[in-house]
Amino acid sequence: MVLICSKCEARLQLDEAKAPSRPFTVRCPKCQGAINVQPPQSSATVTAEEGQLKQFERPASAPPFKVEMEDSNPASVSPASAAGLDEVAKLLAAALSQADTTSARSRGRKRPAWDRRKILVCASPAYRDAIAHSVANLDYEVFVAGNSAQALGRMREERMDIVILDANFDPVEQGVAFVTREVKLLRPSERRRLFFVYITSGVRTMDLHAAFLHNVNLVVNPSDLEQLPDALEVSVRHYNELYRDFNIALDVVPI
């Protein structure tokens, strides 16, 4: 290590092996001036400090899913068909509004408009987009996890109403095992507020016995993914009906 005095510019040779690791001061033998020395950090020390910082970093969570409009040209829809769709939409909205009004007391407290149901999709690339698009049309706030770290990060960051898990999700990092373990570690009150869906082959969609064996609320065969929105809506409605009195007693909104 070569030191240069700032006063007389004398050059001093110092054995780096004998130098302390912390900042120190030496006296110039020529002008007796003080030389402040800042030893460079070794690569091992820097790597250890970076490793400690990474332990406190929050893992990346599953990002929100955004639906892209395939056809945004208003000229592609004829005025007659648009008017017909408007009439049908008005009739459906009126029917749903009347149904909500008549059955609100039986279902318990209603979910606020700003509190959309949250659904986490943990699926392999083969089914990921198809599942996300199908449930996004049901007015869910959808989050799509590309790996185990994103799935666990999102589940720990905020409460999910529904988790859809594919049997082939992130096999390298054992995604199914980690997501299932995260669900099992929930307290009973939290687990009761989560609807768990498992997508796997070799089962019949909406088979209650298969769902019981897999410790989930709903099983879906990959060949029936087109019917996933209908199966999900029916199963969630039955689930809320099962816990209707419980939700009313606790004054919580249904899933």
Side-chain angles (χ1 to χ4, degrees):
M1 179 185 297
V2 178
L3 305 179
I4 301 177
C5 179
S6 59
K7 293 183 179 181
C8 64
E9 298 184 354
R11 298 173 64 88
L12 307 178
Q13 187 70 29
L14 182 65
D15 189 357
E16 190 172 353
K18 298 180 179 179
S21 58
R22 63 181 186 277
F24 61 95
T25 303
V26 297
R27 188 170 298 279
C28 177
K30 186 176 181 180
C31 67
Q32 300 300 314
I35 303 175
N36 296 321
V37 183
Q38 186 75 23
Q41 288 184 328
S42 63
S43 59
T45 304
V46 175
T47 304
E49 292 179 353
E50 291 178 352
Q52 292 178 356
L53 292 176
K54 289 182 179 180
Q55 293 179 358
F56 293 96
E57 292 180 357
R58 176 180 294 180
S61 57
F65 178 75
K66 296 181 180 180
V67 180
E68 296 181 359
M69 301 300 295
E70 297 180 357
D71 188 3
S72 58
N73 186 8
S76 61
V77 182
S78 62
S81 61
L85 291 175
D86 289 341
E87 293 297 328
V88 173
K90 291 179 181 179
L91 292 175
L92 289 175
L96 291 174
S97 177
Q98 184 177 3
D100 289 342
T101 303
T102 56
S103 60
R105 181 172 300 178
S106 63
R107 291 198 313 265
R109 186 161 63 89
K110 293 181 63 177
R111 182 183 293 269
W114 52 266
D115 186 17
R116 296 177 62 192
R117 291 183 294 181
K118 297 179 178 61
I119 183 168
L120 176 63
V121 178
C122 307
S124 59
Y127 305 128
R128 189 177 300 158
D129 290 339
I131 296 174
H133 276 93
S134 63
V135 296
N137 294 330
L138 298 176
D139 194 27
Y140 285 99
E141 186 175 1
V142 182
F143 301 91
V144 179
N147 50 51
S148 302
Q150 291 184 357
L152 298 180
R154 178 58 61 180
M155 294 177 68
R156 295 170 182 175
E157 186 173 333
E158 55 185 325
R159 187 183 69 82
M160 294 289 107
D161 295 289
I162 300 174
V163 172
I164 298 180
L165 178 62
D166 177 17
N168 297 316
F169 173 65
D170 196 7
V172 177
E173 298 294 335
Q174 301 180 356
V176 174
F178 278 102
V179 173
T180 303
R181 178 177 177 272
E182 190 73 13
V183 174
K184 290 182 178 180
L185 290 177
L186 294 175
R187 295 194 297 267
S189 59
E190 296 174 339
R191 177 62 181 90
R192 194 164 43 244
R193 305 287 301 154
L194 174 67
F195 194 84
F196 199 13
V197 183
Y198 190 48
I199 299 178
T200 181
S201 58
V203 299
R204 185 165 51 90
T205 299
M206 299 184 68
D207 188 343
L208 297 179
H209 181 66
F212 174 78
L213 294 179
H214 288 89
N215 197 23
V216 297
N217 302 107
L218 172 65
V219 291
V220 177
N221 193 289
S223 61
D224 298 329
L225 283 181
E226 294 183 357
Q227 285 75 39
L228 175 61
D230 296 332
L232 188 61
E233 283 292 283
V234 172
S235 301
V236 171
R237 185 168 65 248
H238 290 169
Y239 188 79
N240 289 332
E241 186 67 21
L242 175 65
Y243 286 101
R244 180 189 58 185
D245 295 336
F246 195 84
N247 293 336
I248 294 175
L250 295 181
D251 192 26
V252 295
V253 296
I255 295 177

